[in-house]
Amino acid sequence: MRCRFCDTPPAAGERRVPGPAGPICARCVETGLGLVRDGQPRTSRGGTDLERLRSGGEPCEFCDRTDRRTFLGFTRSLPRMRCAQTGAVICDDCLDRSGNLLNQALRHV
């Protein structure tokens, strides 16, 4: 399946993290982690436009959240990456977990 964020097919042997609407590739995970931290829009390797969402808007398609609850029950906005062309959205927490999954998979090859 094509990556939900860059819309490219998998290369031979490429690992991807599965998602409810389709996978995300390692390059988009890496790009997304940088994007949600610095807020600078980027273009993916497939030529799609990636941008950061802060408050409100579309929920993460991996965990269905738009905000994060603190220990005391307060809410904070959850930074998310959105692809304008595909409508795919993933939050900072899911990007981080995806990176961990990819790292574990690569260690066991």
Side-chain angles (χ1 to χ4, degrees):
M1 284 186 83
R2 299 175 89 73
C3 173
R4 287 281 293 143
F5 294 87
C6 65
D7 198 36
T8 59
E14 180 184 20
R15 302 272 184 174
R16 292 184 174 212
V17 176
I24 180 170
C25 69
R27 285 189 184 164
C28 285
V29 169
E30 183 179 356
T31 299
L33 287 168
L35 182 144
V36 296
R37 283 175 180 75
D38 68 21
Q40 298 299 314
R42 290 169 168 76
T43 301
S44 73
R45 70 177 171 156
T48 59
D49 300 318
L50 304 173
E51 62 187 354
R52 180 172 72 172
L53 300 175
R54 288 294 263 162
S55 59
E58 302 147 75
C60 173
E61 63 185 47
F62 288 73
C63 69
D64 201 35
R65 295 182 304 152
T66 58
D67 56 12
R68 182 185 278 149
R69 291 216 178 261
T70 65
F71 178 73
L72 298 173
F74 299 104
T75 60
R76 290 188 349 217
S77 65
L78 183 59
R80 297 171 312 275
M81 175 175 73
R82 181 174 86 84
C83 174
Q85 288 80 1
T86 66
V89 177
I90 188 169
C91 72
D92 185 29
D93 292 345
C94 289
L95 282 166
D96 195 41
R97 280 191 288 276
S98 296
N100 288 338
L101 283 172
L102 288 168
N103 285 334
Q104 288 176 355
L106 291 172
R107 273 187 252 146
H108 297 285
V109 172

